[in-house]
Amino acid sequence: MLLIGGVAAAVVAGREGQDKSTATKTVRGVIGSEKAEFFADPDVVKALAAKGYTVKTETSGSWAMEGLDLKGYDFAFPSSQAPADELAGKYHARQPLPRPFYSPVVVVAHRSAAQVLAANGLATLDRNTGTLKMGAYLDAARHDRTWQQLKGAAAHGELTGTLYIATTDPATSNSGALYLAAASYVADKGRVAASTADVERTAPLMRKLISVQGAQQSSTDAAFRDFVSGAGNPLVLVYESQVAALLGEDGGREAGDLTVLYPDTTANSDHTVVPLTDAGRALGELLSTDPTLRGLAVRHGFRPQGATAEFTAATAGRTSYLNQKLTGVRQAPVPASKVLHEMARRAGN
């Protein structure tokens, strides 16, 4: 019942131009929704078929995977290492776990919103990208600042109400949980939450960050689609991979007034395969090492582990939007799964 997206992709080998005598191995997995388009890509289908694989996937929130019965599946593929480690412990998956690619968490903003943030010392801008100053933003959230209290906002009728970043539900979705991890790290002066007492110190602010949002999306995929269509909040937390993939469509089309803000303290989403069978582990290792599949991952906006040059070369025409080398971006360590669960629970109460 916790499966959110149903059957998101069925990668079927041998459909076109394949030798019908070629044997393929079918593997089944549960994935985060942000990877659905990758597995549905016909070129990914072809690359996997060439290696003898048929991959069928269903989508779920990364943290919600812990509540699923994964019997009969070959792998789970959450969007970060913390839920992956939790699943690995539950299903006794052998370490190390394959981590084919990763993506930083970023904030997408309409240009008007980004300019107002910059004018009020909450961000810096450079063309269509910039840096969100997390300390200043959290201070604004702590004091319930509204857009109307920011200079320059009056010129933009859409900028009204409480200033906040829209996120997914941290209790079930990876990006929302990573947001809390980074925010709590900054709020607690660079300390990683490791105990109930640590969670308690930042709980009031974390609760404020979540409660102001009202109803939350269950996946970054839906939240990003809404943002691109012009609906929803002017500031939305998504994965860099979603932005990079959008910019890569149709030969690098422009993305309207999209501005990409990299929090000066953020968290990486380490997409981690949890092998439940030998076939699942073989697939995870293939995604990590096969040059064709790594290149296709870059096309979908992901950064392959251990090879920044691949991403840099592929996104050379999108540097006005993307911080290729993550200059000025600090990575916040992510708390252990149990602590992060408690932080999300407290934030939602």
Side-chain angles (χ1 to χ4, degrees):
M1 292 180 65
L2 288 175
L3 287 177
I4 293 171
V7 177
V11 183
V12 182
R15 285 181 177 173
E16 299 179 2
Q18 298 287 331
D19 181 351
K20 293 183 179 180
S21 66
T22 300
T24 60
K25 180 178 295 185
T26 298
V27 293
R28 296 180 63 215
V30 179
I31 64 171
S33 62
E34 68 291 326
K35 293 183 285 288
E37 290 189 7
F38 170 76
F39 279 104
D41 185 335
D43 289 334
V44 174
V45 171
K46 183 178 179 181
L48 288 167
K51 296 295 182 178
Y53 285 95
T54 296
V55 180
K56 296 184 177 181
T57 64
E58 297 171 9
T59 61
S60 166
S62 293
W63 288 98
M65 290 181 191
E66 294 179 24
L68 301 178
D69 180 2
L70 297 180
K71 183 178 180 180
Y73 290 89
D74 295 286
F75 68 97
F77 202 172
S79 302
S80 89
Q81 192 168 355
D85 286 341
E86 194 78 7
L87 286 167
K90 180 177 179 179
Y91 291 96
H92 309 291
R94 175 171 54 85
Q95 296 282 356
L97 305 178
R99 290 189 296 145
F101 40 74
Y102 69 98
S103 184
V105 174
V106 300
V107 175
V108 288
H110 295 297
R111 187 68 181 176
S112 57
Q115 289 173 332
V116 170
L117 292 179
N120 288 270
L122 278 73
T124 60
L125 293 180
D126 179 13
R127 293 188 290 177
N128 300 308
T129 188
T131 301
L132 177 69
K133 298 181 180 180
M134 281 293 284
Y137 166 70
L138 292 177
D139 185 64
R142 190 178 286 110
H143 291 93
D144 302 310
R145 293 186 74 180
T146 65
W147 283 105
Q148 292 93 320
Q149 292 172 327
L150 302 182
K151 63 182 180 182
H156 307 284
E158 72 279 9
L159 299 179
T160 61
T162 305
L163 170 68
Y164 70 89
I165 296 170
T167 73
T168 55
D169 182 356
T172 60
S173 174
N174 179 65
S175 60
L178 291 180
Y179 174 65
L180 292 185
S184 65
Y185 181 76
V186 174
D188 208 16
K189 298 178 174 58
R191 286 181 290 219
V192 184
S195 66
T196 301
D198 294 341
V199 172
E200 181 67 28
R201 276 197 301 274
T202 62
L205 178 57
M206 299 304 104
R207 189 178 304 114
K208 185 169 288 191
L209 295 176
I210 299 304
S211 64
V212 71
Q213 299 183 44
Q216 293 174 289
Q217 293 278 18
S218 59
S219 74
T220 52
D221 185 49
F224 188 56
R225 283 200 307 268
D226 285 351
F227 176 86
V228 171
S229 70
N233 198 56
L235 303 174
V236 181
L237 189 86
V238 300
Y239 296 116
E240 179 198 55
S241 58
Q242 295 168 292
V243 178
L246 174 71
L247 296 173
E249 292 175 1
D250 301 329
R253 68 180 184 182
E254 290 298 313
D257 69 346
L258 170 71
T259 303
V260 186
L261 300 176
Y262 287 75
D264 57 14
T265 301
T266 189
N268 276 346
S269 177
D270 286 310
H271 296 270
T272 305
V273 176
V274 182
L276 305 174
T277 65
D278 289 343
R281 180 170 291 277
L283 176 67
E285 293 173 351
L286 182 66
L287 292 170
S288 301
T289 60
D290 182 75
T292 299
L293 288 167
R294 286 172 64 91
L296 289 168
V298 170
R299 190 167 80 184
H300 284 269
F302 300 109
R303 294 174 180 251
Q305 293 285 359
T308 57
E310 289 175 90
F311 183 84
T312 300
T315 58
R318 303 171 230 168
T319 55
S320 67
Y321 291 93
L322 303 177
N323 183 346
Q324 290 181 309
K325 297 182 180 180
L326 300 178
T327 304
V329 176
R330 183 182 186 185
Q331 294 300 318
V334 178
S337 175
K338 182 178 179 180
V339 175
L340 198 53
H341 268 305
E342 177 63 12
M343 189 180 293
R345 187 189 70 79
R346 293 291 304 275
N349 289 341

